[in-house]
Amino acid sequence: MKILVGYKRVVDYNVRIQVKPDGSGVVSEGVKLSPNPFDEIALEEALRLREQGVASEVVIVAIGAADLQAHLRNGLAMGANRAIHVSTSDAVQPLTAARVLLKLVEKEQPGLVIVGKQAIDDDSNQTGQMLAALWDRPQATFASKLGISGGKATVVREVDAGLETLEIELPAVITTDLRLNEPRFIKLPDIMKAKSKPIEILELASLGVSSGDHLKTTHYAPPPKRGKGVMVKNVADLVAALKNKGLV
């Protein structure tokens, strides 16, 4: 079985996000870019399935600018067999990403698609669900445990009330949550081996997918600064202060 993994590049989670002075977006020039943490978990799970003998090949997919090569090499060093770079200079929203993945699914015919439940830059939590709808195949989101047997996937997923277990037929789409696994550390020999692994480059237009935005963000603004705290002498003063603010 072949597994297709979405592998998005985002601003590193340790970077303090700064809004551009004109409010047109966030500053991405000169900041550290890293794999989306949820996508790293998706890749790690695909690699573990391959090591268990469930899958024979793991293919990572990234959509973005021409400088994605280093990002894809990171996924190859982690253990993916090969990579596909869908090249575009335009920002890609979830529906466009899902349509791109659908074209690659039709081309690659994977038995399973694994993506992170959301990207930490836009927090949309939509691409996996949209892909499943376009592909007309089952989906299991927020996976915290995954097992594959007999052409079916058993997925334990995190929901508000606790844990829910689903059994779905393959091919299917699975989105990963934080507690599914811990991604492996990349060693220097693996980085060297990744240099010889293939990266296929496809232009977005060649897939017949439009990169036009479906949603338009009109303005970005940083969150308001927190006000100074107020010291109170006792509980009565605390309750009075909360009443004055309309909080109780």
Side-chain angles (χ1 to χ4, degrees), residues 118-138:
Q118 65 195 76
I120 63 171
D121 53 0
D122 57 18
D123 272 338
S124 292
N125 180 21
Q126 295 175 339
T127 301
Q129 294 91 324
M130 288 177 170
L131 172 60
L134 293 171
W135 192 14
D136 195 24
R137 294 301 306 167

mmCIF file of all heavy atoms in Angstrom, residues 118-138:
data_model
loop_
_atom_site.group_PDB
_atom_site.id
_atom_site.type_symbol
_atom_site.label_atom_id
_atom_site.label_comp_id
_atom_site.label_asym_id
_atom_site.label_seq_id
_atom_site.Cartn_x
_atom_site.Cartn_y
_atom_site.Cartn_z
ATOM 1 N N GLN A 118 -4.626 20.293 11.258
ATOM 2 C CA GLN A 118 -4.655 21.700 10.918
ATOM 3 C C GLN A 118 -3.224 22.191 10.761
ATOM 4 O O GLN A 118 -2.280 21.547 11.219
ATOM 5 C CB GLN A 118 -5.365 22.515 11.998
ATOM 6 C CG GLN A 118 -4.647 22.516 13.343
ATOM 7 C CD GLN A 118 -5.523 22.995 14.464
ATOM 8 O OE1 GLN A 118 -6.391 22.268 14.934
ATOM 9 N NE2 GLN A 118 -5.299 24.217 14.906
ATOM 10 N N ALA A 119 -3.065 23.326 10.098
ATOM 11 C CA ALA A 119 -1.761 23.977 10.002
ATOM 12 C C ALA A 119 -1.728 25.106 11.023
ATOM 13 O O ALA A 119 -2.739 25.789 11.237
ATOM 14 C CB ALA A 119 -1.526 24.526 8.600
ATOM 15 N N ILE A 120 -0.583 25.330 11.655
ATOM 16 C CA ILE A 120 -0.525 26.309 12.730
ATOM 17 C C ILE A 120 -0.456 27.746 12.212
ATOM 18 O O ILE A 120 -0.485 28.682 13.017
ATOM 19 C CB ILE A 120 0.664 26.038 13.675
ATOM 20 C CG1 ILE A 120 2.001 26.169 12.927
ATOM 21 C CG2 ILE A 120 0.529 24.673 14.325
ATOM 22 C CD1 ILE A 120 3.207 26.125 13.845
ATOM 23 N N ASP A 121 -0.403 27.927 10.885
ATOM 24 C CA ASP A 121 -0.403 29.307 10.378
ATOM 25 C C ASP A 121 -1.828 29.835 10.188
ATOM 26 O O ASP A 121 -2.169 30.926 10.616
ATOM 27 C CB ASP A 121 0.414 29.437 9.098
ATOM 28 C CG ASP A 121 0.006 28.448 8.026
ATOM 29 O OD1 ASP A 121 -0.915 27.630 8.254
ATOM 30 O OD2 ASP A 121 0.611 28.485 6.938
ATOM 31 N N ASP A 122 -2.698 29.052 9.556
ATOM 32 C CA ASP A 122 -4.074 29.530 9.350
ATOM 33 C C ASP A 122 -5.100 28.842 10.259
ATOM 34 O O ASP A 122 -6.227 29.301 10.397
ATOM 35 C CB ASP A 122 -4.503 29.372 7.895
ATOM 36 C CG ASP A 122 -4.400 27.938 7.395
ATOM 37 O OD1 ASP A 122 -4.321 27.015 8.227
ATOM 38 O OD2 ASP A 122 -4.392 27.737 6.169
ATOM 39 N N ASP A 123 -4.712 27.715 10.890
ATOM 40 C CA ASP A 123 -5.594 27.001 11.828
ATOM 41 C C ASP A 123 -6.955 26.661 11.221
ATOM 42 O O ASP A 123 -7.969 26.632 11.923
ATOM 43 C CB ASP A 123 -5.804 27.809 13.118
ATOM 44 C CG ASP A 123 -4.731 27.530 14.167
ATOM 45 O OD1 ASP A 123 -4.108 26.456 14.085
ATOM 46 O OD2 ASP A 123 -4.514 28.377 15.033
ATOM 47 N N SER A 124 -6.993 26.370 9.932
ATOM 48 C CA SER A 124 -8.282 26.173 9.275
ATOM 49 C C SER A 124 -8.944 24.847 9.624
ATOM 50 O O SER A 124 -10.161 24.769 9.761
ATOM 51 C CB SER A 124 -8.111 26.283 7.749
ATOM 52 O OG SER A 124 -7.792 27.601 7.383
ATOM 53 N N ASN A 125 -8.155 23.770 9.738
ATOM 54 C CA ASN A 125 -8.738 22.454 10.039
ATOM 55 C C ASN A 125 -9.791 22.089 8.995
ATOM 56 O O ASN A 125 -10.921 21.734 9.332
ATOM 57 C CB ASN A 125 -9.327 22.452 11.453
ATOM 58 C CG ASN A 125 -9.943 21.114 11.841
ATOM 59 O OD1 ASN A 125 -9.617 20.081 11.265
ATOM 60 N ND2 ASN A 125 -10.850 21.135 12.797
ATOM 61 N N GLN A 126 -9.415 22.180 7.702
ATOM 62 C CA GLN A 126 -10.394 21.942 6.643
ATOM 63 C C GLN A 126 -9.891 21.021 5.531
ATOM 64 O O GLN A 126 -10.698 20.338 4.899
ATOM 65 C CB GLN A 126 -10.798 23.281 5.999
ATOM 66 C CG GLN A 126 -11.533 24.229 6.916
ATOM 67 C CD GLN A 126 -11.801 25.578 6.282
ATOM 68 O OE1 GLN A 126 -11.139 25.966 5.325
ATOM 69 N NE2 GLN A 126 -12.755 26.305 6.815
ATOM 70 N N THR A 127 -8.594 21.002 5.279
ATOM 71 C CA THR A 127 -8.084 20.346 4.070
ATOM 72 C C THR A 127 -8.419 18.859 4.032
ATOM 73 O O THR A 127 -8.879 18.344 3.010
ATOM 74 C CB THR A 127 -6.568 20.550 3.953
ATOM 75 O OG1 THR A 127 -6.285 21.951 3.907
ATOM 76 C CG2 THR A 127 -6.037 19.883 2.689
ATOM 77 N N GLY A 128 -8.197 18.142 5.127
ATOM 78 C CA GLY A 128 -8.473 16.710 5.142
ATOM 79 C C GLY A 128 -9.933 16.402 4.882
ATOM 80 O O GLY A 128 -10.277 15.513 4.095
ATOM 81 N N GLN A 129 -10.817 17.161 5.538
ATOM 82 C CA GLN A 129 -12.245 16.937 5.371
ATOM 83 C C GLN A 129 -12.690 17.246 3.943
ATOM 84 O O GLN A 129 -13.520 16.527 3.358
ATOM 85 C CB GLN A 129 -13.032 17.801 6.360
ATOM 86 C CG GLN A 129 -12.817 17.422 7.822
ATOM 87 C CD GLN A 129 -11.670 18.173 8.473
ATOM 88 O OE1 GLN A 129 -10.658 18.453 7.839
ATOM 89 N NE2 GLN A 129 -11.805 18.483 9.749
ATOM 90 N N MET A 130 -12.167 18.332 3.379
ATOM 91 C CA MET A 130 -12.521 18.690 1.999
ATOM 92 C C MET A 130 -12.030 17.640 1.015
ATOM 93 O O MET A 130 -12.739 17.284 0.066
ATOM 94 C CB MET A 130 -11.931 20.061 1.651
ATOM 95 C CG MET A 130 -12.620 21.219 2.337
ATOM 96 S SD MET A 130 -11.813 22.784 1.952
ATOM 97 C CE MET A 130 -13.011 23.946 2.633
ATOM 98 N N LEU A 131 -10.828 17.125 1.239
ATOM 99 C CA LEU A 131 -10.303 16.079 0.352
ATOM 100 C C LEU A 131 -11.189 14.843 0.398
ATOM 101 O O LEU A 131 -11.510 14.256 -0.645
ATOM 102 C CB LEU A 131 -8.876 15.722 0.748
ATOM 103 C CG LEU A 131 -8.271 14.516 0.027
ATOM 104 C CD1 LEU A 131 -8.222 14.741 -1.484
ATOM 105 C CD2 LEU A 131 -6.879 14.195 0.563
ATOM 106 N N ALA A 132 -11.589 14.430 1.592
ATOM 107 C CA ALA A 132 -12.446 13.246 1.711
ATOM 108 C C ALA A 132 -13.755 13.438 0.970
ATOM 109 O O ALA A 132 -14.264 12.513 0.311
ATOM 110 C CB ALA A 132 -12.712 12.940 3.185
ATOM 111 N N ALA A 133 -14.325 14.657 1.047
ATOM 112 C CA ALA A 133 -15.586 14.928 0.352
ATOM 113 C C ALA A 133 -15.393 14.911 -1.161
ATOM 114 O O ALA A 133 -16.208 14.336 -1.898
ATOM 115 C CB ALA A 133 -16.138 16.282 0.802
ATOM 116 N N LEU A 134 -14.316 15.535 -1.641
ATOM 117 C CA LEU A 134 -14.053 15.558 -3.086
ATOM 118 C C LEU A 134 -13.741 14.158 -3.614
ATOM 119 O O LEU A 134 -14.139 13.805 -4.731
ATOM 120 C CB LEU A 134 -12.888 16.500 -3.382
ATOM 121 C CG LEU A 134 -13.124 17.998 -3.122
ATOM 122 C CD1 LEU A 134 -11.816 18.769 -3.260
ATOM 123 C CD2 LEU A 134 -14.173 18.561 -4.074
ATOM 124 N N TRP A 135 -13.042 13.381 -2.844
ATOM 125 C CA TRP A 135 -12.626 12.029 -3.217
ATOM 126 C C TRP A 135 -13.768 11.030 -3.027
ATOM 127 O O TRP A 135 -13.737 9.930 -3.569
ATOM 128 C CB TRP A 135 -11.409 11.645 -2.368
ATOM 129 C CG TRP A 135 -10.663 10.425 -2.788
ATOM 130 C CD1 TRP A 135 -10.751 9.747 -3.964
ATOM 131 C CD2 TRP A 135 -9.689 9.732 -1.994
ATOM 132 N NE1 TRP A 135 -9.897 8.666 -3.965
ATOM 133 C CE2 TRP A 135 -9.228 8.637 -2.765
ATOM 134 C CE3 TRP A 135 -9.167 9.924 -0.722
ATOM 135 C CZ2 TRP A 135 -8.263 7.746 -2.294
ATOM 136 C CZ3 TRP A 135 -8.207 9.041 -0.248
ATOM 137 C CH2 TRP A 135 -7.763 7.967 -1.028
ATOM 138 N N ASP A 136 -14.747 11.398 -2.217
ATOM 139 C CA ASP A 136 -15.889 10.533 -1.883
ATOM 140 C C ASP A 136 -15.415 9.256 -1.202
ATOM 141 O O ASP A 136 -15.866 8.154 -1.518
ATOM 142 C CB ASP A 136 -16.703 10.198 -3.137
ATOM 143 C CG ASP A 136 -18.087 9.629 -2.796
ATOM 144 O OD1 ASP A 136 -18.566 9.912 -1.679
ATOM 145 O OD2 ASP A 136 -18.659 8.907 -3.634
ATOM 146 N N ARG A 137 -14.528 9.445 -0.223
ATOM 147 C CA ARG A 137 -14.015 8.321 0.554
ATOM 148 C C ARG A 137 -14.176 8.624 2.040
ATOM 149 O O ARG A 137 -14.358 9.760 2.455
ATOM 150 C CB ARG A 137 -12.529 8.068 0.243
ATOM 151 C CG ARG A 137 -12.244 7.595 -1.170
ATOM 152 C CD ARG A 137 -12.959 6.300 -1.490
ATOM 153 N NE ARG A 137 -12.675 5.234 -0.525
ATOM 154 C CZ ARG A 137 -13.363 4.104 -0.446
ATOM 155 N NH1 ARG A 137 -14.381 3.883 -1.255
ATOM 156 N NH2 ARG A 137 -13.051 3.191 0.462
ATOM 157 N N PRO A 138 -14.139 7.583 2.899
ATOM 158 C CA PRO A 138 -14.306 7.797 4.342
ATOM 159 C C PRO A 138 -13.197 8.661 4.933
ATOM 160 O O PRO A 138 -12.099 8.751 4.379
ATOM 161 C CB PRO A 138 -14.256 6.372 4.920
ATOM 162 C CG PRO A 138 -14.552 5.468 3.773
ATOM 163 C CD PRO A 138 -14.010 6.157 2.561
#
